[in-house]
């Protein structure tokens, strides 16, 4: 199987703080992987490095064999952990923009998903609720035929019904040959959709295993095992 | 991709600036009509005169303000997550912002010319405005070639200086971005330091020109007039690129 994301001795420091510490990680295509860890464990830093929003202090990250660059950004679909779309833009503007910049953007898929939410294409984002904005962002992200989806805390800060919608959208829209990396600390909500789990603790990978194996070897759910590993 | 970036930056700027330009044209027209029909006394006229002058100055300030905020919001705030996830190089992002700033500086200049034409047309007549422009163009024919070249040099210099100033402001914001606190204050401090250094540079260049070419040498005739802004633009743009490409840390 082809490796979509490879980290070799990847480190990132902010001043004297080491956010990632010599991370070695290989993610194969066709998997939904949970990047799991408490706040400040380095999840967002790892995703930002893969998105080329940060530059490593040491080591390297490769996307389908390439170092992060405009070329890899064309095959990576990234969902940040915040509202990043211009508030004044309407849905029709956003669809046009994604079509303009991403050759792999499937506007029909986006329209179908937006249709299910009954969102008016002429409504600016600023007039939408927080939950609807997050859904719109996710729809735009998942409407690309990307090789790697990097979803940073996609279910944080939304109600349980919205979480179900978001997870359903993820599993029903990613391409079979793509890899989905979901960063979260809400393990119980995502555990059923994951193929693999990566535990990050203080910037280090302390576990990378298939979810089935993890359950078999520990006799616990991922959420239970996570609570044990990260017990305060 | 450059054209697409410019298109979306232009759209963002347009929605912010067009109400100001509409108000400017409306106020120019009303003010000109008041003067034409001798309503040029009393409180109402004073208010409109004040609003007209405020709109004139306000449009210039707003243009600069939105050029600055377009850069900071588009690349250094939350929207930066969208911008830097696009399959576009950092250099292309910076170039798009600079081109957008130049486009809007020209639009601002054009709007001020439109206001002058409106005033001339309403207060006088279209014929008089046309005659004025004919005279301006005729004057160009009468000017000696050397003087015309000097005037063109100054125009080129002013455009290059404007581009250098835009790049300096972008560099200052990028420098401010390196710090987690007091980013705006650090950006302003950087601007002040660079202005002081630039003043020294200019004084030194004038002295150097006088030493090399003699005190009677016309500084404006020299290539040295356009070299500094080009070099400075390169330095500021490189600094901005380095910070955004290698030191970017969006919060």
């Amino acid at each position: 199987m082809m490796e979509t994301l490879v980290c070799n001795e990847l480190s990132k420091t902010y001043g004297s703080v080491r956010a990632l510490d010599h991370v070695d990680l290989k993610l194969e295509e066709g998997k939904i992987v949970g990047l799991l860890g408490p706040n400040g464990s380095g999840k967002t830093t790892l995703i930002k490095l893969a998105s080329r929003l940060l530059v490593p202090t040491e080591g390297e990250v490769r996307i389908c064999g390439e170092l992060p660059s405009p070329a890899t950004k064309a095959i990576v679909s990234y969902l940040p952990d915040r509202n990043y779309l211009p508030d004044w833009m309407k849905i029709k503007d956003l669809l046009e923009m994604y079509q303009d910049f991403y050759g792999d953007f499937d506007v029909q898929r986006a329209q179908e998903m937006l249709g299910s939410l009954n969102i008016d294409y002429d409504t600016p984002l600023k007039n939408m609720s927080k939950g609807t904005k997050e859904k719109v962002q996710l729809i735009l992200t998942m409407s690309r035929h990307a090789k790697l989806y990097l979803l940073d805390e996609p279910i944080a800060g939304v109600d349980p019904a919205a979480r179900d919608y978001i997870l359903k959208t993820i599993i029903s829209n990613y391409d079979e040959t793509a890899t989905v990396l979901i960063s979260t600390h809400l393990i119980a909500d995502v555990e059923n959709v994951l193929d693999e789990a990566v535990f990050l603790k203080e910037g280090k990978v302390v576990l990378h295993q298939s979810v089935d194996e993890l359950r078999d070897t520990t006799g616990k759910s991922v959420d239970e095992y996570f609570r044990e590993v990260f017990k305060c | 991709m450059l054209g697409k970036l410019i298109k979306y930056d232009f759209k963002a700027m347009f929605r912010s600036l067009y109400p100001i330009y509409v108000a400017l044209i409306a106020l120019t027209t009303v003010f000109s009509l008041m003067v034409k029909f001798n309503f040029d006394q009393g409180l109402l006229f004073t208010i409109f005169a004040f609003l007209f002058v405020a709109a004139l100055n306000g449009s210039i300030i707003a243009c600069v303000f939105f050029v600055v905020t377009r850069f900071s919001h588009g690349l250094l705030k939350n929207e930066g997550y969208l911008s830097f996830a696009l399959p576009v190089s950092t250099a292309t992002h910076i170039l798009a912002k600079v081109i957008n700033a130049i486009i809007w500086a020209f639009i601002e200049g054009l709007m001020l010319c439109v206001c002058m034409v409106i005033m001339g047309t309403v207060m006088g007549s279209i014929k008089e405005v046309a005659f004025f422009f004919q005279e301006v163009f005729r004057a160009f024919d009468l000017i000696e070639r050397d003087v015309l070249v000097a005037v063109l040099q100054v125009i080129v210099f002013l455009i290059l200086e404007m581009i250098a100033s835009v790049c300096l402001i972008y560099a200052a914001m990028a420098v401010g971005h390196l710090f987690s606190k007091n980013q705006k204050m650090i950006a302003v401090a950087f601007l002040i330091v660079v202005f002081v250094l630039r003043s020294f540079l200019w004084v030194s260049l004038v002295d150097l020109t006088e030493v090399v070419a003699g005190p009677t040498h016309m500084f404006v005739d020299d290539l040295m007039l356009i070299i500094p802004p080009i070099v400075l633009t390169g330095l500021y743009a490189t600094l901005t690129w380095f910070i955004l490409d290698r030191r970017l840390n969006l919060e």
Side-chain angles (χ1 to χ4, degrees), chain B residues 28-185:
Chain B
T28 306
T29 310
V30 172
F31 177 75
S32 305
L33 285 169
M34 288 178 108
V35 172
K36 183 180 174 74
F37 294 108
N38 298 323
F39 286 113
D40 52 359
Q41 281 171 346
L43 182 64
L44 194 64
F45 178 77
T46 309
I47 290 169
F48 269 98
F50 174 77
L51 287 174
F52 168 63
V53 174
L56 267 181
N57 293 311
S59 73
I60 298 168
I61 294 165
C63 187
V64 174
F65 175 78
F66 286 117
V67 162
V68 171
T69 52
R70 198 62 227 121
F71 182 88
S72 66
H73 287 198
L75 298 179
L76 303 176
K77 301 273 170 69
N78 279 356
E79 216 183 301
Y81 284 86
L82 173 68
S83 302
F84 285 109
L86 297 173
V88 178
S89 68
T90 307
T92 311
H93 275 298
I94 297 167
L95 184 60
K97 293 281 184 275
V98 173
I99 292 173
N100 196 47
I102 296 166
I103 290 170
W104 281 98
F106 278 106
I107 291 174
E108 178 65 34
L110 188 70
M111 290 311 297
L112 296 179
C113 289
V114 167
C115 289
M116 281 167 58
V117 170
I118 290 172
M119 288 177 82
T121 310
V122 174
M123 290 181 191
S125 68
I126 293 173
K127 275 184 185 174
E128 281 173 337
V129 174
F131 179 72
F132 169 75
F133 282 108
Q134 273 176 359
E135 287 298 301
V136 169
F137 288 121
R138 211 156 62 87
F140 273 114
D141 289 338
L142 297 174
I143 295 171
E144 282 182 37
R145 190 181 161 79
D146 288 352
V147 178
L148 201 62
V149 169
V151 169
L152 284 174
Q153 269 188 331
V154 171
I155 291 170
V156 170
F157 166 74
L158 290 175
I159 292 170
L160 292 174
E161 266 295 299
M162 183 191 74
I163 295 169
S165 301
V166 167
C167 289
L168 170 59
I169 293 169
Y170 291 168
M173 283 189 282
V175 168
H177 176 75
L178 289 173
F179 299 84
S180 54
K181 288 177 184 171
N182 303 319
Q183 294 181 337
K184 285 177 187 164
M185 258 175 56

Side-chain angles (χ1 to χ4, degrees), chain A residues 45-145:
Chain A
T45 299
L46 177 57
I47 284 183
K48 280 184 175 180
L49 286 163
S51 310
R52 187 55 171 87
L53 262 75
L54 288 174
V55 175
T57 311
E58 286 175 62
E60 63 174 24
V61 55
R62 287 185 178 268
I63 314 293
C64 296
E66 302 284 326
L67 290 170
S69 66
T72 62
K73 287 176 184 180
I75 56 170
V76 172
S77 194
Y78 169 50
L79 178 71
D81 60 346
R82 63 198 64 215
N83 290 330
Y84 62 97
L85 297 171
D87 247 8
W88 57 271
M89 281 188 123
K90 298 171 182 171
I91 299 296
K92 61 179 183 184
D93 300 326
L94 291 167
L95 292 176
E96 187 192 331
M97 187 173 74
Y98 267 68
Q99 275 182 285
D100 269 350
F101 284 105
Y102 296 112
D104 61 3
F105 184 69
D106 186 340
V107 69
Q108 203 176 343
R109 185 194 278 184
Q111 284 169 335
E112 280 168 14
M113 286 192 268
L114 289 165
S116 68
L117 292 176
N118 294 321
I119 298 172
D120 179 11
Y121 284 19
D122 281 318
T123 308
L125 279 177
K126 64 183 171 196
N127 294 348
M128 293 177 189
S129 69
K130 184 173 179 273
T132 308
K133 273 185 205 172
E134 296 205 359
K135 286 174 191 166
V136 168
Q137 291 184 166
L138 180 78
I139 287 170
L140 292 170
T141 306
M142 296 309 298
S143 294
R144 289 182 55 201
H145 295 284

Side-chain angles (χ1 to χ4, degrees), chain B residues 199-231:
Chain B
S199 304
F200 278 120
L201 177 75
W202 272 114
V203 172
S204 307
L205 278 174
V206 172
D207 289 346
L208 182 72
T209 311
E210 285 186 353
V211 170
V212 173
T216 56
H217 183 80
M218 282 278 286
F219 187 61
V220 287
D221 284 345
D222 207 299
L223 252 185
M224 285 179 88
L225 190 69
I226 60 166
I227 289 173
I230 291 173
V231 173

